[in-house]
Structure formats: C-alpha cells, structure tokens
Amino acid sequence: SSSSSSNNKRAYPKYTIYNPNCSLSFLPILPTFTLSQAGNLSLDTPGKFMIQFIPSSSSSPYGNKTYNWKDQITLALTVEEVGLLIAKFPNEGMIEFSRQTAEDGVDKVLTIMPTEEEEEESVEFVVDFIRNGIGGQRPVSNGREDMVCPFQVRVTLGEIEVIKSILKTSLPHLIGWEKMMNISTEASITQNFGNKSDKYEFVGSKQQQQQQGTKSGFFSGGSSKGEFDF
C-alpha cells in the first residue's frame, strides 16, 4: 500500500565539497537502538559522523571529472569528537584526530587547520597515513600500493558555516535524543491525561477570535472543535 511504501522510504543526507584534486563529504552514521520485552526503547550504540575523502582522477572523455572511489579514505568521528570539533572549529588553531590502522606503526590522521591565505578566511581538511611522524605512508596492507597521500581539501568561509550547522543539528540525532525524547514525552502525556492526551483545544476570547480570525490563547482539554494533535 501507499502507506507502507511511505514508511519504507530512505534518505541519505550528505554534504560534499569539491576541490580540483579531491572531494570532501560529511555524512552521518545513525545510532542503533534496543527494544526491551516491555517495549521500551533505549540507545544501543551511538551514531558517528563520517568524513570522507575521495581523490579525483583524470577527466572523462566528456570533460567531466571523475573520482577514484576505491581510493577513498574515511574517518568516523565519535559524538564526543563531534562535540570537540563544534567547540574548536574553526577558530582554535589546529585540530587533529587519529586512528590506528591494521598496518603496524601506521596511523590514519585527520588534521583541520587554518590556511595561511590572508585574502579569505579558510581552513584545510587533510588526511594522511603517518609512521613515526613521517607522512605520505602507503597502507600496503590494504592493497593501496599506488595511492599517494596526503589528501587535502580547502574549505571556504561559507562552507565552514554549513559544516558547523550540520554538525550542531546532527549531534542530537547521533545519540537518538530527539526520537527518545518524543517517545518519552508522549508517554508522560498519556500517563497524565489518559485517553485525552492526544486532544487539546487552543482557545481564547471571542473578541480575540473575531479580531484575528482564528483561535488564540492557551491549551485546554480537548473538545469537538478547535483541536489539533501533538
């Protein structure tokens, strides 16, 4: 049915910045939940925020730039790291996140730092494989012998504001806060008002209704008119 089809729809939010040699994308990894035998929902695993670098390849015969998906490098930030990035980005100097790789002694490092250009405020997102403080390492164990690092993308002032907004609005979703708060609030209303919990009337004085052409005032128990659902 159309209703079940609507419930099965999926969306894949993603914000991408394209530079000549590399693209930089931001996308969420949603949290997982558990359901108790009593039907209560709780957070199982917090989500993460994925940062994805994809190097560009030579232009296609049609003049369009293509990207080497097989050489993509990703780094997933925890919710605490997202909070740290929100607090420090972009005015607190260099920010660095690192992950150990399967190859002994090689770390995957994401660095976010202001550029030295004075014309326009900007930052650079740089990802590299580093061993003993030396960058440009090749993660041979991952079958990427021909990949050349680092990958870097310059982010302009306008793009910085978009990233900050995305991070701030995504954070509550990564811990399931909004979803569980809605469920908790609905349960609390039901507990307080019983079967009347889904009906409220927005009422005001007749004079206000005549002046404004609509009802205005405060919430009260539901009636057959002027109701709307929460």
Side-chain angles (χ1 to χ4, degrees):
S1 66
S2 60
S3 176
S4 60
S5 175
S6 176
N7 291 336
N8 291 330
K9 286 182 178 178
R10 300 291 300 272
Y12 301 94
K14 183 178 182 179
Y15 176 63
T16 301
I17 298 169
Y18 296 97
N19 271 201
N21 299 316
C22 189
S23 70
L24 173 66
S25 295
F26 301 83
L27 55 160
I29 301 173
L30 296 180
T32 59
F33 300 88
T34 58
L35 197 64
S36 71
Q37 292 183 347
N40 298 320
L41 188 71
S42 60
L43 181 68
D44 182 24
T45 305
K48 294 185 178 182
F49 205 89
M50 179 77 75
I51 298 180
Q52 176 188 57
F53 293 79
I54 304 178
S56 62
S57 60
S58 57
S59 298
S60 72
Y62 303 100
N64 298 321
K65 188 174 289 293
T66 59
Y67 290 86
N68 292 324
W69 285 86
K70 66 181 180 65
D71 286 342
Q72 66 174 307
I73 301 176
T74 61
L75 192 144
L77 301 181
T78 66
V79 291
E80 292 80 12
E81 288 173 330
V82 172
L84 179 65
L85 185 54
I86 291 172
K88 291 190 172 184
F89 179 71
N91 300 316
E92 296 293 328
M94 186 175 71
I95 308 169
E96 186 175 283
F97 302 101
S98 65
R99 301 287 188 269
Q100 290 184 337
T101 67
E103 189 164 346
D104 185 39
V106 177
D107 293 329
K108 177 169 55 178
V109 179
L110 169 67
T111 305
I112 305 164
M113 54 188 173
T115 62
E116 297 181 355
E117 299 179 11
E118 297 182 357
E119 297 83 7
E120 180 183 7
E121 182 180 353
S122 62
V123 299
E124 272 193 335
F125 280 70
V126 182
V127 67
D128 199 1
F129 290 96
I130 297 176
R131 176 190 279 122
N132 297 326
I134 300 175
Q137 303 297 317
R138 297 178 179 179
V140 178
S141 60
N142 293 338
R144 297 176 174 178
E145 295 89 345
D146 59 343
M147 187 171 67
V148 179
C149 288
F151 296 162
Q152 55 193 58
V153 175
R154 179 176 174 268
V155 177
T156 64
L157 183 59
E159 293 163 340
I160 289 171
E161 291 302 315
V162 174
I163 294 169
K164 287 167 59 178
S165 177
I166 291 173
L167 291 173
K168 289 179 180 179
T169 56
S170 297
L171 189 53
H173 294 282
L174 297 181
I175 57 175
W177 189 261
E178 183 176 15
K179 182 66 175 178
M180 291 192 293
M181 281 295 292
N182 288 340
I183 293 174
S184 181
T185 301
E186 290 173 5
S188 179
I189 293 173
T190 300
Q191 184 177 11
N192 281 273
F193 296 99
N195 294 333
K196 297 181 179 180
S197 62
D198 62 340
K199 299 292 182 182
Y200 293 84
E201 182 184 9
F202 201 45
V203 299
S205 69
K206 291 183 179 180
Q207 183 180 5
Q208 287 175 318
Q209 294 173 25
Q210 293 170 352
Q211 290 176 348
Q212 299 178 11
T214 184
K215 291 189 174 182
S216 61
F218 58 90
F219 292 110
S220 71
S223 70
S224 60
K225 295 186 296 182
E227 298 173 346
F228 58 89
D229 295 334
F230 272 79

PDB file of all heavy atoms in Angstrom, residues 161-178:
ATOM      1  N   GLU A 161      30.565  27.570   7.586  1.00  0.00           N
ATOM      2  CA  GLU A 161      29.296  27.798   8.277  1.00  0.00           C
ATOM      3  C   GLU A 161      28.320  26.654   8.037  1.00  0.00           C
ATOM      4  O   GLU A 161      27.575  26.254   8.933  1.00  0.00           O
ATOM      5  CB  GLU A 161      28.683  29.128   7.838  1.00  0.00           C
ATOM      6  CG  GLU A 161      29.454  30.343   8.321  1.00  0.00           C
ATOM      7  CD  GLU A 161      29.585  30.383   9.838  1.00  0.00           C
ATOM      8  OE1 GLU A 161      28.573  30.145  10.535  1.00  0.00           O
ATOM      9  OE2 GLU A 161      30.698  30.647  10.329  1.00  0.00           O
ATOM     10  N   VAL A 162      28.313  26.127   6.819  1.00  0.00           N
ATOM     11  CA  VAL A 162      27.443  24.982   6.518  1.00  0.00           C
ATOM     12  C   VAL A 162      27.854  23.774   7.356  1.00  0.00           C
ATOM     13  O   VAL A 162      27.009  23.090   7.952  1.00  0.00           O
ATOM     14  CB  VAL A 162      27.495  24.633   5.013  1.00  0.00           C
ATOM     15  CG1 VAL A 162      26.701  23.354   4.738  1.00  0.00           C
ATOM     16  CG2 VAL A 162      26.941  25.774   4.177  1.00  0.00           C
ATOM     17  N   ILE A 163      29.146  23.495   7.433  1.00  0.00           N
ATOM     18  CA  ILE A 163      29.642  22.348   8.205  1.00  0.00           C
ATOM     19  C   ILE A 163      29.280  22.498   9.676  1.00  0.00           C
ATOM     20  O   ILE A 163      28.818  21.546  10.328  1.00  0.00           O
ATOM     21  CB  ILE A 163      31.169  22.205   8.033  1.00  0.00           C
ATOM     22  CG1 ILE A 163      31.506  21.848   6.587  1.00  0.00           C
ATOM     23  CG2 ILE A 163      31.725  21.146   8.978  1.00  0.00           C
ATOM     24  CD1 ILE A 163      32.979  21.939   6.261  1.00  0.00           C
ATOM     25  N   LYS A 164      29.486  23.693  10.231  1.00  0.00           N
ATOM     26  CA  LYS A 164      29.150  23.924  11.642  1.00  0.00           C
ATOM     27  C   LYS A 164      27.676  23.678  11.905  1.00  0.00           C
ATOM     28  O   LYS A 164      27.294  23.052  12.909  1.00  0.00           O
ATOM     29  CB  LYS A 164      29.532  25.355  12.040  1.00  0.00           C
ATOM     30  CG  LYS A 164      31.029  25.577  12.179  1.00  0.00           C
ATOM     31  CD  LYS A 164      31.371  27.063  12.246  1.00  0.00           C
ATOM     32  CE  LYS A 164      30.702  27.775  13.383  1.00  0.00           C
ATOM     33  NZ  LYS A 164      31.098  29.211  13.435  1.00  0.00           N
ATOM     34  N   SER A 165      26.818  24.150  11.015  1.00  0.00           N
ATOM     35  CA  SER A 165      25.385  23.961  11.182  1.00  0.00           C
ATOM     36  C   SER A 165      25.019  22.483  11.120  1.00  0.00           C
ATOM     37  O   SER A 165      24.214  21.984  11.927  1.00  0.00           O
ATOM     38  CB  SER A 165      24.636  24.743  10.106  1.00  0.00           C
ATOM     39  OG  SER A 165      23.243  24.532  10.201  1.00  0.00           O
ATOM     40  N   ILE A 166      25.613  21.758  10.168  1.00  0.00           N
ATOM     41  CA  ILE A 166      25.338  20.326  10.033  1.00  0.00           C
ATOM     42  C   ILE A 166      25.771  19.565  11.283  1.00  0.00           C
ATOM     43  O   ILE A 166      25.049  18.701  11.788  1.00  0.00           O
ATOM     44  CB  ILE A 166      26.047  19.764   8.786  1.00  0.00           C
ATOM     45  CG1 ILE A 166      25.395  20.306   7.517  1.00  0.00           C
ATOM     46  CG2 ILE A 166      26.022  18.242   8.787  1.00  0.00           C
ATOM     47  CD1 ILE A 166      26.145  19.942   6.250  1.00  0.00           C
ATOM     48  N   LEU A 167      26.939  19.883  11.793  1.00  0.00           N
ATOM     49  CA  LEU A 167      27.438  19.199  12.990  1.00  0.00           C
ATOM     50  C   LEU A 167      26.518  19.435  14.183  1.00  0.00           C
ATOM     51  O   LEU A 167      26.175  18.494  14.922  1.00  0.00           O
ATOM     52  CB  LEU A 167      28.854  19.678  13.319  1.00  0.00           C
ATOM     53  CG  LEU A 167      29.973  19.265  12.359  1.00  0.00           C
ATOM     54  CD1 LEU A 167      31.273  19.970  12.739  1.00  0.00           C
ATOM     55  CD2 LEU A 167      30.169  17.759  12.360  1.00  0.00           C
ATOM     56  N   LYS A 168      26.111  20.679  14.380  1.00  0.00           N
ATOM     57  CA  LYS A 168      25.278  21.010  15.542  1.00  0.00           C
ATOM     58  C   LYS A 168      23.908  20.346  15.469  1.00  0.00           C
ATOM     59  O   LYS A 168      23.397  19.836  16.468  1.00  0.00           O
ATOM     60  CB  LYS A 168      25.128  22.526  15.659  1.00  0.00           C
ATOM     61  CG  LYS A 168      26.395  23.234  16.093  1.00  0.00           C
ATOM     62  CD  LYS A 168      26.185  24.742  16.177  1.00  0.00           C
ATOM     63  CE  LYS A 168      27.455  25.457  16.609  1.00  0.00           C
ATOM     64  NZ  LYS A 168      27.265  26.928  16.669  1.00  0.00           N
ATOM     65  N   THR A 169      23.289  20.375  14.288  1.00  0.00           N
ATOM     66  CA  THR A 169      21.949  19.791  14.166  1.00  0.00           C
ATOM     67  C   THR A 169      21.986  18.267  14.145  1.00  0.00           C
ATOM     68  O   THR A 169      21.002  17.617  14.510  1.00  0.00           O
ATOM     69  CB  THR A 169      21.248  20.303  12.894  1.00  0.00           C
ATOM     70  OG1 THR A 169      22.072  20.028  11.747  1.00  0.00           O
ATOM     71  CG2 THR A 169      21.000  21.795  12.981  1.00  0.00           C
ATOM     72  N   SER A 170      23.107  17.679  13.738  1.00  0.00           N
ATOM     73  CA  SER A 170      23.212  16.222  13.669  1.00  0.00           C
ATOM     74  C   SER A 170      23.477  15.581  15.024  1.00  0.00           C
ATOM     75  O   SER A 170      23.069  14.439  15.258  1.00  0.00           O
ATOM     76  CB  SER A 170      24.337  15.815  12.704  1.00  0.00           C
ATOM     77  OG  SER A 170      24.067  16.236  11.390  1.00  0.00           O
ATOM     78  N   LEU A 171      24.153  16.293  15.906  1.00  0.00           N
ATOM     79  CA  LEU A 171      24.603  15.694  17.163  1.00  0.00           C
ATOM     80  C   LEU A 171      23.467  15.059  17.970  1.00  0.00           C
ATOM     81  O   LEU A 171      23.603  13.915  18.427  1.00  0.00           O
ATOM     82  CB  LEU A 171      25.357  16.734  17.995  1.00  0.00           C
ATOM     83  CG  LEU A 171      26.088  16.214  19.238  1.00  0.00           C
ATOM     84  CD1 LEU A 171      27.019  15.062  18.889  1.00  0.00           C
ATOM     85  CD2 LEU A 171      26.872  17.331  19.909  1.00  0.00           C
ATOM     86  N   PRO A 172      22.318  15.728  18.188  1.00  0.00           N
ATOM     87  CA  PRO A 172      21.244  15.075  18.949  1.00  0.00           C
ATOM     88  C   PRO A 172      20.734  13.795  18.285  1.00  0.00           C
ATOM     89  O   PRO A 172      20.358  12.842  18.970  1.00  0.00           O
ATOM     90  CB  PRO A 172      20.140  16.145  18.999  1.00  0.00           C
ATOM     91  CG  PRO A 172      20.844  17.438  18.782  1.00  0.00           C
ATOM     92  CD  PRO A 172      21.964  17.121  17.842  1.00  0.00           C
ATOM     93  N   HIS A 173      20.742  13.765  16.949  1.00  0.00           N
ATOM     94  CA  HIS A 173      20.280  12.571  16.241  1.00  0.00           C
ATOM     95  C   HIS A 173      21.255  11.412  16.419  1.00  0.00           C
ATOM     96  O   HIS A 173      20.844  10.241  16.427  1.00  0.00           O
ATOM     97  CB  HIS A 173      20.116  12.870  14.748  1.00  0.00           C
ATOM     98  CG  HIS A 173      19.036  13.863  14.452  1.00  0.00           C
ATOM     99  ND1 HIS A 173      17.693  13.537  14.460  1.00  0.00           N
ATOM    100  CD2 HIS A 173      19.094  15.183  14.149  1.00  0.00           C
ATOM    101  CE1 HIS A 173      16.973  14.600  14.167  1.00  0.00           C
ATOM    102  NE2 HIS A 173      17.795  15.621  13.979  1.00  0.00           N
ATOM    103  N   LEU A 174      22.540  11.711  16.560  1.00  0.00           N
ATOM    104  CA  LEU A 174      23.545  10.659  16.697  1.00  0.00           C
ATOM    105  C   LEU A 174      23.426   9.904  18.010  1.00  0.00           C
ATOM    106  O   LEU A 174      23.938   8.792  18.145  1.00  0.00           O
ATOM    107  CB  LEU A 174      24.958  11.246  16.555  1.00  0.00           C
ATOM    108  CG  LEU A 174      25.297  11.876  15.205  1.00  0.00           C
ATOM    109  CD1 LEU A 174      26.734  12.394  15.211  1.00  0.00           C
ATOM    110  CD2 LEU A 174      25.091  10.889  14.069  1.00  0.00           C
ATOM    111  N   ILE A 175      22.778  10.500  18.998  1.00  0.00           N
ATOM    112  CA  ILE A 175      22.558   9.795  20.269  1.00  0.00           C
ATOM    113  C   ILE A 175      21.078   9.470  20.465  1.00  0.00           C
ATOM    114  O   ILE A 175      20.670   9.078  21.558  1.00  0.00           O
ATOM    115  CB  ILE A 175      23.092  10.610  21.471  1.00  0.00           C
ATOM    116  CG1 ILE A 175      22.453  12.000  21.525  1.00  0.00           C
ATOM    117  CG2 ILE A 175      24.608  10.722  21.408  1.00  0.00           C
ATOM    118  CD1 ILE A 175      22.858  12.794  22.770  1.00  0.00           C
ATOM    119  N   GLY A 176      20.297   9.633  19.407  1.00  0.00           N
ATOM    120  CA  GLY A 176      18.884   9.281  19.478  1.00  0.00           C
ATOM    121  C   GLY A 176      18.078  10.139  20.419  1.00  0.00           C
ATOM    122  O   GLY A 176      16.974   9.756  20.826  1.00  0.00           O
ATOM    123  N   TRP A 177      18.598  11.307  20.751  1.00  0.00           N
ATOM    124  CA  TRP A 177      17.985  12.133  21.787  1.00  0.00           C
ATOM    125  C   TRP A 177      16.590  12.604  21.406  1.00  0.00           C
ATOM    126  O   TRP A 177      15.640  12.470  22.182  1.00  0.00           O
ATOM    127  CB  TRP A 177      18.884  13.329  22.093  1.00  0.00           C
ATOM    128  CG  TRP A 177      18.452  14.122  23.291  1.00  0.00           C
ATOM    129  CD1 TRP A 177      17.743  15.283  23.308  1.00  0.00           C
ATOM    130  CD2 TRP A 177      18.693  13.791  24.652  1.00  0.00           C
ATOM    131  NE1 TRP A 177      17.534  15.698  24.594  1.00  0.00           N
ATOM    132  CE2 TRP A 177      18.117  14.800  25.444  1.00  0.00           C
ATOM    133  CE3 TRP A 177      19.363  12.742  25.290  1.00  0.00           C
ATOM    134  CZ2 TRP A 177      18.167  14.798  26.831  1.00  0.00           C
ATOM    135  CZ3 TRP A 177      19.421  12.722  26.674  1.00  0.00           C
ATOM    136  CH2 TRP A 177      18.824  13.751  27.422  1.00  0.00           C
ATOM    137  N   GLU A 178      16.459  13.146  20.197  1.00  0.00           N
ATOM    138  CA  GLU A 178      15.175  13.701  19.776  1.00  0.00           C
ATOM    139  C   GLU A 178      14.105  12.617  19.699  1.00  0.00           C
ATOM    140  O   GLU A 178      12.980  12.795  20.174  1.00  0.00           O
ATOM    141  CB  GLU A 178      15.321  14.399  18.425  1.00  0.00           C
ATOM    142  CG  GLU A 178      14.043  15.070  17.943  1.00  0.00           C
ATOM    143  CD  GLU A 178      14.237  15.822  16.652  1.00  0.00           C
ATOM    144  OE1 GLU A 178      15.262  15.593  15.978  1.00  0.00           O
ATOM    145  OE2 GLU A 178      13.367  16.631  16.310  1.00  0.00           O
TER     146      GLU A 178
END
